[in-house]
Structure formats: C-alpha cells, structure tokens
Amino acid sequence: MLPPSRERWAPSASQIARRRIAVRLAKFLFPLLGVALLVGIAVWPELDRMEDRARVSFRRVAGTAPDAVRVVDPRYQGIDEQNRPYTVTATVAAQTDAPDIVDLDRPRADILLTDGSWVLLESREGRFDKARNLLDLTGDVTLWQDGGNLLVTEAAEIQLHEGSASGDKPVAAQGPFGTLTSEGFRLTDRGQVVVFTGRARAILEGGQ
C-alpha cells in the first residue's frame, strides 16, 4: 500500500467539547439577533416621529411669552411710608402683560403695626401692582386683626404703602364689640380705624 499523501488530523476531546458549546450558542444567539433586527426595523420609524415631536415641543417651549411665567410660593416684602414692614405671599404668581403686575392665587398680606400687633388679609384671588404697592383682593376676602376683630367681604383694595384698605361690597364684621354688617368699609392707619359705609347694622355686646 502507498502511504497517505497527508496525515489525518484527529481533534481532542476538549476541542470537540468546545465546538459543541459554540454550536449550541450559535443556535441560541442567531435567532435572538434576527428578532432584534426585525424589532429595530419596525420601531425605527416611530423613533423618528418621536424625535420630530420632541423638536416641535422644544420650539414651542422656547417661544413661550414672558406672560406665561409662573412662580410657586412667591414672597414680596416692602415697607410703608412710616418704615413699617409688610409681606405679600401666595401659592402661585403668574406674570401679566405688564412687567410690574402679577396675578396671585391664594394671596396673603401680613402687615405689622407700630405697637407690635398685626393685620392679616387673605382671599382666593388677587392682583399685585408692585410699582404702586397696590393689592386687589377678590373672593372670600378676610381681614384678621390682632385684637380679635374679623372682617369678611368679596372685594377689597389695599394700599400697602399707605397702610389703608377699602371695599364697596357688603361687609360682615365680628369682634369683642359684637357683630356688624354694612355696604362697604374704609380702613386707615393700618387697621387702627375702620369706617363702615352705606347702610349699617350693629349688634353690640353688653359691657363692651
């Protein structure tokens, strides 16, 4: 017999085991890669549309006008003509077309008196003119005074710099003196003097 032209190579047991593992991995990975490719082809157009919508949304936000600016928990502080401090707060402030005027949600004005007592005004809505120190309150306007007096009406205008307030809506007042209703009110000297206007009716407590 003639000798073979080349010797036959016989793999070892470890090499056969590695080949078997590689074949098994290939059988598992190739189908996964195929599925991933199909999903990518199906999802790619939707990703493009999402990117376009993001661009449109970004352009709209970038083009927002200044009057849409909203501030949460704003606080404005100042002093009146006698250097007595006051503070105006709210849950939300929204800028209007005028740079010095903001609309307030749940506004509240704290005014400190010279003797250390205080006056508190609050309502559902309000508008604050920072340049004029003018606060317009509407909706369940409530005035609390340190001495125990309470005044409730539907609208009031407060001149913070002067420490005065007024309103022409029906008023109900209550305090140590008794109860009182009228058609309006005028408050001066930061709550030290209150004049009730229009028809008024009072029920005074005895001994006061």
Side-chain angles (χ1 to χ4, degrees):
M1 291 181 61
L2 294 175
S5 59
R6 56 183 177 178
E7 295 182 358
R8 185 179 182 84
W9 176 76
S12 63
S14 60
Q15 290 174 332
I16 293 175
R18 285 196 295 269
R19 286 187 180 182
R20 288 176 179 174
I21 294 174
V23 171
R24 290 177 182 175
L25 289 176
K27 289 180 179 180
F28 179 75
L29 292 177
F30 286 162
L32 288 180
L33 292 175
V35 172
L37 181 60
L38 292 176
V39 171
I41 293 173
V43 173
W44 188 262
E46 183 64 24
L47 292 177
D48 286 341
R49 285 193 292 270
M50 291 176 63
E51 185 178 358
D52 292 338
R53 286 196 296 268
R55 292 197 189 100
V56 172
S57 176
F58 177 78
R59 293 192 190 99
R60 288 176 181 172
V61 172
T64 301
D67 60 355
V69 174
R70 295 169 63 85
V71 179
V72 178
D73 294 331
R75 176 180 294 269
Y76 306 96
Q77 294 179 316
I79 56 175
D80 68 0
E81 55 190 9
Q82 297 185 25
N83 292 324
R84 293 173 294 192
Y86 65 83
T87 303
V88 178
T89 59
T91 56
V92 177
Q95 184 68 52
T96 64
D97 294 334
D100 291 326
I101 299 178
V102 293
D103 287 330
L104 304 176
D105 183 31
R106 295 290 178 182
R108 172 174 174 156
D110 294 280
I111 303 173
L112 184 65
L113 305 182
T114 304
D115 60 1
S117 60
W118 49 264
V119 174
L120 168 65
L121 300 104
E122 57 185 5
S123 67
R124 289 199 311 268
E125 300 175 350
R127 172 164 286 192
F128 183 36
D129 188 334
K130 294 177 286 185
R132 299 168 56 196
N133 292 302
L134 177 64
L135 179 64
D136 286 321
L137 302 178
T138 56
D140 295 334
V141 180
T142 305
L143 183 150
W144 306 82
Q145 198 175 24
D146 198 11
N149 297 317
L150 170 67
L151 184 149
V152 179
T153 185
E154 278 301 308
E157 180 183 273
I158 297 90
Q159 291 281 353
L160 295 168
H161 191 66
E162 299 175 0
S164 63
S166 62
D168 295 322
K169 297 292 185 180
V171 175
Q174 180 179 350
F177 64 90
T179 59
L180 185 148
T181 58
S182 70
E183 297 178 345
F185 77 99
R186 300 290 183 270
L187 181 149
T188 59
D189 196 17
R190 299 171 72 88
Q192 297 295 328
V193 178
V194 182
V195 177
F196 295 94
T197 60
R199 295 182 179 181
R201 181 175 182 270
I203 300 178
L204 303 179
E205 297 289 344
Q208 298 293 328

mmCIF file with all atom_site columns, all heavy atoms in Angstrom, residues 180-194:
data_model
loop_
_atom_site.group_PDB
_atom_site.id
_atom_site.type_symbol
_atom_site.label_atom_id
_atom_site.label_alt_id
_atom_site.label_comp_id
_atom_site.label_asym_id
_atom_site.label_entity_id
_atom_site.label_seq_id
_atom_site.pdbx_PDB_ins_code
_atom_site.Cartn_x
_atom_site.Cartn_y
_atom_site.Cartn_z
_atom_site.occupancy
_atom_site.B_iso_or_equiv
_atom_site.pdbx_formal_charge
_atom_site.auth_seq_id
_atom_site.auth_comp_id
_atom_site.auth_asym_id
_atom_site.auth_atom_id
_atom_site.pdbx_PDB_model_num
ATOM 1   N N   . LEU A 1 180 ? -71.430 93.320  63.092 1.00 0.00 ? 180 LEU A N   1
ATOM 2   C CA  . LEU A 1 180 ? -71.817 94.498  62.311 1.00 0.00 ? 180 LEU A CA  1
ATOM 3   C C   . LEU A 1 180 ? -71.856 94.124  60.837 1.00 0.00 ? 180 LEU A C   1
ATOM 4   O O   . LEU A 1 180 ? -70.984 93.384  60.355 1.00 0.00 ? 180 LEU A O   1
ATOM 5   C CB  . LEU A 1 180 ? -70.837 95.642  62.549 1.00 0.00 ? 180 LEU A CB  1
ATOM 6   C CG  . LEU A 1 180 ? -71.139 97.005  61.911 1.00 0.00 ? 180 LEU A CG  1
ATOM 7   C CD1 . LEU A 1 180 ? -70.610 98.127  62.793 1.00 0.00 ? 180 LEU A CD1 1
ATOM 8   C CD2 . LEU A 1 180 ? -70.493 97.113  60.522 1.00 0.00 ? 180 LEU A CD2 1
ATOM 9   N N   . THR A 1 181 ? -72.843 94.631  60.106 1.00 0.00 ? 181 THR A N   1
ATOM 10  C CA  . THR A 1 181 ? -72.917 94.473  58.653 1.00 0.00 ? 181 THR A CA  1
ATOM 11  C C   . THR A 1 181 ? -73.094 95.848  58.028 1.00 0.00 ? 181 THR A C   1
ATOM 12  O O   . THR A 1 181 ? -73.725 96.738  58.620 1.00 0.00 ? 181 THR A O   1
ATOM 13  C CB  . THR A 1 181 ? -74.098 93.566  58.248 1.00 0.00 ? 181 THR A CB  1
ATOM 14  O OG1 . THR A 1 181 ? -75.324 94.113  58.746 1.00 0.00 ? 181 THR A OG1 1
ATOM 15  C CG2 . THR A 1 181 ? -73.904 92.153  58.790 1.00 0.00 ? 181 THR A CG2 1
ATOM 16  N N   . SER A 1 182 ? -72.522 96.020  56.832 1.00 0.00 ? 182 SER A N   1
ATOM 17  C CA  . SER A 1 182 ? -72.650 97.293  56.118 1.00 0.00 ? 182 SER A CA  1
ATOM 18  C C   . SER A 1 182 ? -72.466 97.052  54.629 1.00 0.00 ? 182 SER A C   1
ATOM 19  O O   . SER A 1 182 ? -72.224 95.927  54.190 1.00 0.00 ? 182 SER A O   1
ATOM 20  C CB  . SER A 1 182 ? -71.623 98.313  56.633 1.00 0.00 ? 182 SER A CB  1
ATOM 21  O OG  . SER A 1 182 ? -70.314 97.933  56.231 1.00 0.00 ? 182 SER A OG  1
ATOM 22  N N   . GLU A 1 183 ? -72.554 98.135  53.841 1.00 0.00 ? 183 GLU A N   1
ATOM 23  C CA  . GLU A 1 183 ? -72.431 98.045  52.392 1.00 0.00 ? 183 GLU A CA  1
ATOM 24  C C   . GLU A 1 183 ? -71.011 98.278  51.898 1.00 0.00 ? 183 GLU A C   1
ATOM 25  O O   . GLU A 1 183 ? -70.735 98.162  50.704 1.00 0.00 ? 183 GLU A O   1
ATOM 26  C CB  . GLU A 1 183 ? -73.384 99.047  51.731 1.00 0.00 ? 183 GLU A CB  1
ATOM 27  C CG  . GLU A 1 183 ? -74.854 98.755  52.023 1.00 0.00 ? 183 GLU A CG  1
ATOM 28  C CD  . GLU A 1 183 ? -75.771 99.784  51.415 1.00 0.00 ? 183 GLU A CD  1
ATOM 29  O OE1 . GLU A 1 183 ? -75.267 100.868 51.010 1.00 0.00 ? 183 GLU A OE1 1
ATOM 30  O OE2 . GLU A 1 183 ? -76.978 99.525  51.326 1.00 0.00 ? 183 GLU A OE2 1
ATOM 31  N N   . GLY A 1 184 ? -70.099 98.636  52.778 1.00 0.00 ? 184 GLY A N   1
ATOM 32  C CA  . GLY A 1 184 ? -68.706 98.874  52.398 1.00 0.00 ? 184 GLY A CA  1
ATOM 33  C C   . GLY A 1 184 ? -67.896 99.258  53.612 1.00 0.00 ? 184 GLY A C   1
ATOM 34  O O   . GLY A 1 184 ? -68.401 99.315  54.738 1.00 0.00 ? 184 GLY A O   1
ATOM 35  N N   . PHE A 1 185 ? -66.595 99.507  53.386 1.00 0.00 ? 185 PHE A N   1
ATOM 36  C CA  . PHE A 1 185 ? -65.742 99.885  54.517 1.00 0.00 ? 185 PHE A CA  1
ATOM 37  C C   . PHE A 1 185 ? -64.560 100.705 54.020 1.00 0.00 ? 185 PHE A C   1
ATOM 38  O O   . PHE A 1 185 ? -64.181 100.660 52.856 1.00 0.00 ? 185 PHE A O   1
ATOM 39  C CB  . PHE A 1 185 ? -65.250 98.644  55.258 1.00 0.00 ? 185 PHE A CB  1
ATOM 40  C CG  . PHE A 1 185 ? -64.126 97.922  54.554 1.00 0.00 ? 185 PHE A CG  1
ATOM 41  C CD1 . PHE A 1 185 ? -62.798 98.117  54.938 1.00 0.00 ? 185 PHE A CD1 1
ATOM 42  C CD2 . PHE A 1 185 ? -64.370 97.072  53.493 1.00 0.00 ? 185 PHE A CD2 1
ATOM 43  C CE1 . PHE A 1 185 ? -61.757 97.461  54.293 1.00 0.00 ? 185 PHE A CE1 1
ATOM 44  C CE2 . PHE A 1 185 ? -63.344 96.410  52.840 1.00 0.00 ? 185 PHE A CE2 1
ATOM 45  C CZ  . PHE A 1 185 ? -62.035 96.600  53.244 1.00 0.00 ? 185 PHE A CZ  1
ATOM 46  N N   . ARG A 1 186 ? -63.989 101.464 54.955 1.00 0.00 ? 186 ARG A N   1
ATOM 47  C CA  . ARG A 1 186 ? -62.754 102.202 54.728 1.00 0.00 ? 186 ARG A CA  1
ATOM 48  C C   . ARG A 1 186 ? -61.858 101.965 55.939 1.00 0.00 ? 186 ARG A C   1
ATOM 49  O O   . ARG A 1 186 ? -62.246 102.259 57.064 1.00 0.00 ? 186 ARG A O   1
ATOM 50  C CB  . ARG A 1 186 ? -63.012 103.711 54.550 1.00 0.00 ? 186 ARG A CB  1
ATOM 51  C CG  . ARG A 1 186 ? -63.917 104.057 53.385 1.00 0.00 ? 186 ARG A CG  1
ATOM 52  C CD  . ARG A 1 186 ? -63.214 103.804 52.059 1.00 0.00 ? 186 ARG A CD  1
ATOM 53  N NE  . ARG A 1 186 ? -64.039 104.207 50.928 1.00 0.00 ? 186 ARG A NE  1
ATOM 54  C CZ  . ARG A 1 186 ? -64.900 103.417 50.298 1.00 0.00 ? 186 ARG A CZ  1
ATOM 55  N NH1 . ARG A 1 186 ? -65.056 102.151 50.724 1.00 0.00 ? 186 ARG A NH1 1
ATOM 56  N NH2 . ARG A 1 186 ? -65.605 103.846 49.282 1.00 0.00 ? 186 ARG A NH2 1
ATOM 57  N N   . LEU A 1 187 ? -60.650 101.432 55.683 1.00 0.00 ? 187 LEU A N   1
ATOM 58  C CA  . LEU A 1 187 ? -59.711 101.133 56.749 1.00 0.00 ? 187 LEU A CA  1
ATOM 59  C C   . LEU A 1 187 ? -58.504 102.040 56.605 1.00 0.00 ? 187 LEU A C   1
ATOM 60  O O   . LEU A 1 187 ? -57.921 102.141 55.519 1.00 0.00 ? 187 LEU A O   1
ATOM 61  C CB  . LEU A 1 187 ? -59.311 99.655  56.693 1.00 0.00 ? 187 LEU A CB  1
ATOM 62  C CG  . LEU A 1 187 ? -58.353 99.108  57.742 1.00 0.00 ? 187 LEU A CG  1
ATOM 63  C CD1 . LEU A 1 187 ? -58.654 97.640  58.018 1.00 0.00 ? 187 LEU A CD1 1
ATOM 64  C CD2 . LEU A 1 187 ? -56.887 99.237  57.268 1.00 0.00 ? 187 LEU A CD2 1
ATOM 65  N N   . THR A 1 188 ? -58.131 102.704 57.693 1.00 0.00 ? 188 THR A N   1
ATOM 66  C CA  . THR A 1 188 ? -56.971 103.600 57.660 1.00 0.00 ? 188 THR A CA  1
ATOM 67  C C   . THR A 1 188 ? -56.051 103.283 58.829 1.00 0.00 ? 188 THR A C   1
ATOM 68  O O   . THR A 1 188 ? -56.406 102.534 59.752 1.00 0.00 ? 188 THR A O   1
ATOM 69  C CB  . THR A 1 188 ? -57.419 105.078 57.731 1.00 0.00 ? 188 THR A CB  1
ATOM 70  O OG1 . THR A 1 188 ? -58.160 105.276 58.947 1.00 0.00 ? 188 THR A OG1 1
ATOM 71  C CG2 . THR A 1 188 ? -58.295 105.429 56.532 1.00 0.00 ? 188 THR A CG2 1
ATOM 72  N N   . ASP A 1 189 ? -54.863 103.885 58.779 1.00 0.00 ? 189 ASP A N   1
ATOM 73  C CA  . ASP A 1 189 ? -53.854 103.732 59.829 1.00 0.00 ? 189 ASP A CA  1
ATOM 74  C C   . ASP A 1 189 ? -53.595 102.262 60.123 1.00 0.00 ? 189 ASP A C   1
ATOM 75  O O   . ASP A 1 189 ? -53.525 101.846 61.279 1.00 0.00 ? 189 ASP A O   1
ATOM 76  C CB  . ASP A 1 189 ? -54.292 104.463 61.098 1.00 0.00 ? 189 ASP A CB  1
ATOM 77  C CG  . ASP A 1 189 ? -53.127 104.654 62.071 1.00 0.00 ? 189 ASP A CG  1
ATOM 78  O OD1 . ASP A 1 189 ? -51.957 104.527 61.631 1.00 0.00 ? 189 ASP A OD1 1
ATOM 79  O OD2 . ASP A 1 189 ? -53.379 104.880 63.263 1.00 0.00 ? 189 ASP A OD2 1
ATOM 80  N N   . ARG A 1 190 ? -53.464 101.503 59.034 1.00 0.00 ? 190 ARG A N   1
ATOM 81  C CA  . ARG A 1 190 ? -53.094 100.085 59.118 1.00 0.00 ? 190 ARG A CA  1
ATOM 82  C C   . ARG A 1 190 ? -54.022 99.294  60.048 1.00 0.00 ? 190 ARG A C   1
ATOM 83  O O   . ARG A 1 190 ? -53.599 98.440  60.810 1.00 0.00 ? 190 ARG A O   1
ATOM 84  C CB  . ARG A 1 190 ? -51.647 99.946  59.575 1.00 0.00 ? 190 ARG A CB  1
ATOM 85  C CG  . ARG A 1 190 ? -50.670 100.593 58.622 1.00 0.00 ? 190 ARG A CG  1
ATOM 86  C CD  . ARG A 1 190 ? -49.266 100.636 59.182 1.00 0.00 ? 190 ARG A CD  1
ATOM 87  N NE  . ARG A 1 190 ? -48.645 99.328  59.206 1.00 0.00 ? 190 ARG A NE  1
ATOM 88  C CZ  . ARG A 1 190 ? -47.953 98.800  58.190 1.00 0.00 ? 190 ARG A CZ  1
ATOM 89  N NH1 . ARG A 1 190 ? -47.816 99.472  57.062 1.00 0.00 ? 190 ARG A NH1 1
ATOM 90  N NH2 . ARG A 1 190 ? -47.404 97.599  58.303 1.00 0.00 ? 190 ARG A NH2 1
ATOM 91  N N   . GLY A 1 191 ? -55.316 99.580  59.938 1.00 0.00 ? 191 GLY A N   1
ATOM 92  C CA  . GLY A 1 191 ? -56.308 98.814  60.687 1.00 0.00 ? 191 GLY A CA  1
ATOM 93  C C   . GLY A 1 191 ? -56.698 99.399  62.020 1.00 0.00 ? 191 GLY A C   1
ATOM 94  O O   . GLY A 1 191 ? -57.569 98.847  62.700 1.00 0.00 ? 191 GLY A O   1
ATOM 95  N N   . GLN A 1 192 ? -56.090 100.514 62.413 1.00 0.00 ? 192 GLN A N   1
ATOM 96  C CA  . GLN A 1 192 ? -56.443 101.126 63.691 1.00 0.00 ? 192 GLN A CA  1
ATOM 97  C C   . GLN A 1 192 ? -57.821 101.777 63.638 1.00 0.00 ? 192 GLN A C   1
ATOM 98  O O   . GLN A 1 192 ? -58.530 101.843 64.645 1.00 0.00 ? 192 GLN A O   1
ATOM 99  C CB  . GLN A 1 192 ? -55.382 102.174 64.079 1.00 0.00 ? 192 GLN A CB  1
ATOM 100 C CG  . GLN A 1 192 ? -53.995 101.606 64.297 1.00 0.00 ? 192 GLN A CG  1
ATOM 101 C CD  . GLN A 1 192 ? -53.927 100.660 65.482 1.00 0.00 ? 192 GLN A CD  1
ATOM 102 O OE1 . GLN A 1 192 ? -54.641 100.816 66.460 1.00 0.00 ? 192 GLN A OE1 1
ATOM 103 N NE2 . GLN A 1 192 ? -53.080 99.652  65.389 1.00 0.00 ? 192 GLN A NE2 1
ATOM 104 N N   . VAL A 1 193 ? -58.223 102.249 62.448 1.00 0.00 ? 193 VAL A N   1
ATOM 105 C CA  . VAL A 1 193 ? -59.525 102.911 62.278 1.00 0.00 ? 193 VAL A CA  1
ATOM 106 C C   . VAL A 1 193 ? -60.253 102.254 61.126 1.00 0.00 ? 193 VAL A C   1
ATOM 107 O O   . VAL A 1 193 ? -59.705 102.125 60.026 1.00 0.00 ? 193 VAL A O   1
ATOM 108 C CB  . VAL A 1 193 ? -59.362 104.427 62.002 1.00 0.00 ? 193 VAL A CB  1
ATOM 109 C CG1 . VAL A 1 193 ? -60.729 105.075 61.793 1.00 0.00 ? 193 VAL A CG1 1
ATOM 110 C CG2 . VAL A 1 193 ? -58.611 105.100 63.143 1.00 0.00 ? 193 VAL A CG2 1
ATOM 111 N N   . VAL A 1 194 ? -61.493 101.826 61.358 1.00 0.00 ? 194 VAL A N   1
ATOM 112 C CA  . VAL A 1 194 ? -62.332 101.229 60.323 1.00 0.00 ? 194 VAL A CA  1
ATOM 113 C C   . VAL A 1 194 ? -63.660 101.986 60.288 1.00 0.00 ? 194 VAL A C   1
ATOM 114 O O   . VAL A 1 194 ? -64.345 102.088 61.315 1.00 0.00 ? 194 VAL A O   1
ATOM 115 C CB  . VAL A 1 194 ? -62.593 99.738  60.573 1.00 0.00 ? 194 VAL A CB  1
ATOM 116 C CG1 . VAL A 1 194 ? -63.428 99.148  59.434 1.00 0.00 ? 194 VAL A CG1 1
ATOM 117 C CG2 . VAL A 1 194 ? -61.283 98.972  60.709 1.00 0.00 ? 194 VAL A CG2 1
#
